[in-house]
Amino acid sequence: MDFEPWWLIFVPVLFALGWLAARFDFRQMLRETRTLPDSYFKGLNFLLNEQPDRAIDAFVEVAKLDPETTELHFALGSLFRRRGEMERAIRVHQSLLSRSDLPEAEREHAQHELAHDFLKAGMLDRAESAFEQLKDTRYALPALRSLIRIYESEHDWPRAIEAVKTLQGLVDEPVPQIVHYYCEQAQMALAAKPFDADAAHTALDAADHAAKQAGQGESASKAAKVRTAMLRARLAQLEGDLKRERMYLESILADAPEFAGQVAEQLLANYRNAGQAAEGLDVLQKQYARYASLDLFNVVFRELRVQQGAAPAWAFARGALRHHPSLLGLDRLLEAELSSTDGSQQDQEQGPVRGADLSLLRSLIHKHTQRLDRYACRTCGFQARRYYWQCPGCNGWETYAPRRLEELE
Ligand SMILES: [Zn+2]
């Protein structure tokens, strides 16, 4: 028989068939399909047709017939949780937990997932008890971390501190926010009526100790140190110890000048109470020359007006604005100027028009500065008029710079 060139076409066809046979074992595939219960396909069908509740029922049925399908449940549960369908996620995980034949490892896994469902659904007390049940399992560490977050959001500082201590007994893991937990405790003691000096001292000593421990590896957080010093100053003030109060406040000016604006008012009051208002103003002016900030500018400008009158205050403001052009600074300046001429007789040398001009100018500027006159979280961008140690938006600690938005741009 002669060789025909068209025979060559069989060669690639045979190769292709061999390749297919190597990849598909059709008999195996058919066998697997037959072992899957009907409920599985029913469930899949419901899921694809956007009928998740009926799908859950069908899959629970599958689980009863075939205990090997726990992975399917976990996948389904996390899918629902990701989509924010918390009731369904909880139902899936609870149905898993209710199975008596569930192996211990799977039971722990389901319990952990369920705790996260509760947490995401905002059911904090149920999440708390679910995480607590994981204490002696392989999920002990992540459960403890979640518990710390829960106690923190409940402002239950003693339990948060306990949990951090337990965590650090298990692993060598830095938890820098523990300094703030102690500070929060001290703050509560100071806010109590009457204030609890002993509790405040104890909490602040613990805060210093924790900061020292945290700072062994790298430099301890500056903001936490500032906060401790601020609370110590407040405690000294309540105890009537002006000297100690001043020492703490001035330590902040020296070590963390960016926070000077936060304590300027209190420092000034401290000097005033000691009958040394002029010295206090001098300290703040020198501080401003060393490290300018808008919050400090406000305090110095206002105090200059009170102590020395309009001309020196304006001279200071003009110099400050020339060095650090700022709309907010100008806004504050005009506000002070307007409030001082309001109701009083019009300044003869300036004429009656000037007041109107000023107030027009101010309303123009003020419209723009409102946006800038805020502190902003570096992590989530949450903006607030007052300074926060913990962001109310993302619950991060020390995420606010002690500077107004305008100064950050
Ligand atoms: Zn934030």
Side-chain angles (χ1 to χ4, degrees):
M1 194 162 56
D2 291 337
F3 176 79
E4 299 280 343
W6 59 266
W7 289 359
L8 279 175
I9 212 158
F10 281 115
V11 179
V13 169
L14 285 172
F15 264 110
L17 284 175
W19 184 84
L20 278 173
R23 267 150 194 78
F24 291 114
D25 186 337
F26 286 104
R27 267 181 307 177
Q28 168 84 12
M29 209 172 90
L30 281 172
R31 198 165 50 235
E32 274 176 12
T33 314
R34 253 181 255 125
T35 57
L36 278 172
D38 282 349
S39 324
Y40 175 84
F41 294 101
K42 247 191 251 164
L44 206 57
N45 198 27
F46 284 133
L47 202 59
L48 293 174
N49 286 315
E50 308 258 326
Q51 291 177 287
D53 286 312
R54 298 184 74 179
I56 296 175
D57 290 335
F59 286 128
V60 169
E61 194 61 32
V62 181
K64 272 184 203 150
L65 301 170
D66 182 3
E68 299 293 306
T69 55
T70 48
E71 280 314 314
L72 173 72
H73 277 67
F74 285 123
L76 208 56
S78 71
L79 173 76
F80 285 135
R81 188 165 72 222
R82 256 206 321 278
R83 285 172 42 160
E85 299 174 37
M86 302 320 297
E87 253 175 66
R88 292 189 177 120
I90 290 170
R91 227 181 104 207
V92 168
H93 291 130
Q94 275 176 336
S95 85
L96 260 179
L97 277 173
S98 67
R99 273 170 51 182
S100 53
D101 61 332
L102 200 66
E104 198 48 40
E106 306 278 281
R107 177 171 303 281
E108 288 167 6
H109 186 185
Q111 176 76 20
H112 189 234
E113 294 299 318
L114 184 63
H116 275 290
D117 296 340
F118 287 140
L119 185 62
K120 195 172 174 194
M123 301 150 95
L124 291 188
D125 46 346
R126 295 187 77 176
E128 201 182 304
S129 68
F131 279 122
E132 271 162 4
Q133 286 176 43
L134 291 161
K135 217 186 300 171
D136 299 313
T137 67
R138 66 200 159 107
Y139 293 96
L141 279 181
L144 205 49
R145 290 192 195 102
S146 302
L147 277 172
I148 292 171
R149 282 222 310 276
I150 293 175
Y151 297 144
E152 197 182 286
S153 59
E154 291 171 338
H155 290 197
D156 189 343
W157 308 115
R159 288 177 84 190
I161 289 167
E162 262 328 294
V164 171
K165 282 183 182 163
T166 313
L167 179 73
Q168 287 175 332
L170 295 173
V171 278
D172 183 22
E173 183 176 297
V175 186
Q177 70 266 32
I178 192 169
V179 183
H180 286 288
Y181 296 172
Y182 286 119
C183 285
E184 294 285 343
Q185 266 191 320
Q187 203 161 305
M188 279 163 86
L190 290 175
K193 300 243 178 314
F195 76 99
D196 187 344
D198 287 339
H201 275 293
T202 312
L204 288 171
D205 287 346
D208 277 338
H209 182 70
K212 221 172 277 163
Q213 274 189 325
Q216 270 167 358
E218 65 242 60
S219 69
S221 142
K222 205 176 188 182
K225 271 201 220 157
V226 170
R227 191 179 186 192
T228 318
M230 276 165 90
L231 288 165
R232 286 212 187 264
R234 172 93 183 110
L235 177 57
Q237 184 195 39
L238 288 171
E239 288 178 325
D241 189 343
L242 286 183
K243 222 173 116 199
R244 197 155 51 92
E245 182 195 7
R246 190 183 294 181
M247 186 200 78
Y248 281 119
L249 293 177
E250 291 188 340
S251 78
I252 297 173
L253 299 196
D255 300 339
E258 65 272 32
F259 283 91
Q262 308 288 323
V263 296
E265 206 75 69
Q266 194 187 344
L267 186 63
L268 207 54
N270 175 287
Y271 273 95
R272 208 181 291 125
N273 290 337
Q276 303 170 305
E279 282 95 327
L281 178 57
D282 189 48
V283 167
L284 291 185
Q285 269 189 286
K286 285 198 178 112
Q287 181 71 22
Y288 187 84
R290 198 161 75 89
Y291 195 100
S293 81
L294 209 52
D295 287 326
L296 196 54
F297 168 85
N298 289 337
V299 179
V300 172
F301 176 69
R302 200 163 356 103
E303 193 59 18
L304 268 171
R305 272 196 79 97
V306 173
Q307 286 192 22
Q308 300 174 10
W314 272 90
F316 163 75
R318 231 175 281 127
L321 287 176
R322 201 171 297 133
H323 282 105
H324 310 279
S326 150
L327 276 181
L328 268 175
L330 188 58
D331 187 26
R332 298 284 152 76
L333 194 78
L334 294 174
E335 181 189 28
E337 194 55 26
L338 282 168
S339 68
S340 72
T341 50
D342 262 5
S344 65
Q345 75 285 12
Q346 292 285 351
D347 227 358
Q348 261 105 40
E349 324 145 45
Q350 289 169 347
V353 192
R354 193 165 172 242
D357 281 350
L358 274 187
S359 93
L360 176 68
L361 190 58
R362 202 224 159 195
S363 63
L364 278 176
I365 291 174
H366 193 63
K367 233 171 75 182
H368 293 284
T369 53
Q370 269 178 328
R371 271 182 311 119
L372 302 167
D373 192 11
R374 287 163 198 278
Y375 300 104
C377 172
R378 280 179 287 229
T379 308
C380 72
F382 190 93
Q383 295 181 7
R385 294 189 76 83
R386 53 164 282 213
Y387 182 80
Y388 283 104
W389 298 102
Q390 185 186 23
C391 173
C394 66
N395 292 328
W397 292 95
E398 298 177 18
T399 56
Y400 279 77
R403 299 184 142 255
R404 306 273 170 177
L405 260 182
E406 187 191 25
E407 300 174 278
L408 296 173
E409 277 166 0

